[in-house]
Amino acid sequence: MNIQKTIIRLLMKLPDGALVRLSGGKPLAIDGRIMDARMQFLAAQGARQPSITTLDPLTARAATSQGLAMLDGEPSTNVEISELTIPGPAGPLDARLYRPRGASGPLPGLVFFHFGGCVIGDLDTCHTFCAMIADVAGIAVLNVAYRLAPEHKFPAAGKDAVAAYRWAEANAEDLGMIPGRVGVGGDSAGGYLSAHVAQEAKREGFAAPAVQLLIYPVTDWASKGGSMESCANVYPLPRDVMDWFGALYMNTPADAADPRLSPMKSPDLAGLAPAIVVTAGFDVLRDQGLAYADRLKASGVSVLYRCEDSLAHAFTAMTGVLPAARSACEQIARDVGAALHKAG
């Protein structure tokens, strides 16, 4: 894998024009957006590989972990990282705590959930990104591995996310976090879980997160039209992969109407935690992320929304080869830091 990683990094140093020629001959344009040349090269290479829908979930997890490891950056050396387990509703959950090196006293905190359709992914999926957030934002980050489908179907992941956030808030001082200044965040399925935690806080009456960071979140598992069609064949999340995730996580298609699975289905979004919503231009989930941000705003929730127009899904795990992804992730970290340091 080291050789492949080296080759990819060398190829990604080619001029934009050369990468576009290697990716089909002309820039990829969808919905008035032009894809980043390096992102286009990765998408073209990924499209030539067998789809994970042809694999069993265990094999898919291993394959995607190996592939992402070749694209991700190295974690910041400016953070201290601790491995731990935290209590979950069905047993211990693996977790990883990141704190800026040399930080004194408690810091705002963020409980983070990785992407992967509630089927693939683990603590390593967002390891580099969590370290970046801790470093750039100057906060403590708790990266939590929740239960995955099909071994654990809906609502298992959501219950784990709620339990992890509530435990972190209750044990904030032991984690070096400031009580009442703990947010939730995640990308894709992790964004769905973060939105779910924010809604459950309102429904169940526990302390709301200080902020909800939703990066290309799944907000409606039954969504159709718009970017679900225009970006249906874009790597790394073509529509068939999204459908595969849903089929493995849901008990029946009817689950998609449940607000605990599709946050967009909630009839009332008023009073939820302030939100940072970031989407990607070349992503089947783009339009539902924007739609959720718009509904939050219309309900009186404070929202910072941004679309990274030239990037595709999962750019948070591509900072080792995509300068545009690294810049986007650093901006997300600054946004989270600004929100949490002024919260409370």
Side-chain angles (χ1 to χ4, degrees):
M1 189 175 74
N2 287 336
I3 294 176
Q4 291 176 303
K5 188 174 181 178
T6 299
I7 292 172
I8 289 174
R9 278 159 169 70
L10 287 173
L11 286 170
M12 297 295 268
K13 292 181 180 179
L14 291 172
D16 286 5
L19 289 170
V20 170
R21 286 193 293 274
L22 291 170
S23 309
K26 61 180 181 180
L28 178 60
I30 296 177
D31 297 335
R33 297 168 170 85
I34 303 296
M35 184 178 276
D36 176 89
R38 283 157 184 77
M39 183 74 250
Q40 182 177 346
F41 177 75
L42 289 179
Q45 301 308 306
R48 297 188 179 108
Q49 304 304 312
S51 171
I52 62 171
T53 62
T54 65
L55 307 174
D56 65 86
L58 287 176
T59 305
R61 289 167 195 162
T64 53
S65 292
Q66 184 177 22
L68 290 171
M70 291 190 289
L71 306 179
D72 213 353
E74 296 299 321
S76 172
T77 59
N78 297 324
V79 297
E80 297 175 344
I81 303 170
S82 306
E83 305 285 341
L84 63 157
T85 58
I86 67 174
L93 302 173
D94 290 333
R96 194 173 286 164
L97 180 65
Y98 307 74
R99 285 179 55 84
R101 193 174 297 280
S104 59
L107 300 168
L110 182 74
V111 182
F112 196 91
F113 308 108
H114 64 77
F115 66 73
C118 296
V119 174
I120 62 175
D122 54 28
L123 294 179
D124 291 335
T125 302
C126 55
H127 178 60
T128 295
F129 186 43
C130 285
M132 178 189 289
I133 294 174
D135 181 19
V136 175
I139 64 174
V141 178
L142 183 68
N143 176 7
V144 178
Y146 49 90
R147 287 175 291 167
L148 299 176
E151 299 93 330
H152 306 283
K153 289 181 172 286
F154 170 75
K159 288 188 173 183
D160 288 354
V162 169
Y165 164 71
R166 297 191 69 175
W167 179 87
E169 177 62 40
N171 294 272
E173 292 182 1
D174 292 338
L175 294 169
M177 297 179 180
I178 302 172
R181 302 269 288 279
V182 180
V184 290
D187 40 7
S188 193
Y192 140 62
L193 293 172
S194 299
H196 170 64
V197 171
Q199 289 194 6
E200 281 292 281
K202 177 181 176 179
R203 285 190 285 260
E204 300 298 325
F206 58 82
V211 70
Q212 49 177 323
L213 169 64
L214 315 179
I215 306 170
Y216 33 78
V218 187
T219 63
D220 183 355
W221 287 75
S223 177
K224 299 182 185 303
S227 60
M228 292 297 287
E229 300 299 331
S230 62
C231 298
N233 297 313
V234 178
Y235 167 91
L237 188 65
R239 176 66 183 269
D240 66 328
V241 172
M242 190 64 208
D243 291 342
W244 184 71
F245 286 148
L248 289 172
Y249 184 48
M250 287 185 276
N251 302 285
T252 72
D255 284 341
D258 191 325
R260 296 175 302 159
L261 181 61
S262 295
M264 183 73 80
K265 301 297 186 183
S266 176
D268 181 12
L269 303 184
L272 296 182
I276 299 169
V277 183
V278 181
T279 58
F282 292 80
D283 184 4
V284 291
L285 303 181
R286 182 194 69 219
D287 287 355
Q288 59 181 274
L290 172 58
Y292 193 65
D294 285 344
R295 273 204 63 202
L296 287 170
K297 288 180 185 177
S299 300
V301 176
S302 174
V303 178
L304 171 62
Y305 173 79
R306 181 171 62 256
C307 181
E308 295 294 345
D309 283 330
S310 69
L311 296 175
H313 196 81
F315 67 73
T316 51
M318 301 179 185
T319 57
V321 294
L322 289 181
R326 183 169 187 85
S327 295
C329 289
E330 289 173 342
Q331 184 58 56
I332 291 170
R334 287 192 290 270
D335 291 339
V336 173
L340 285 173
H341 279 288
K342 74 176 183 181

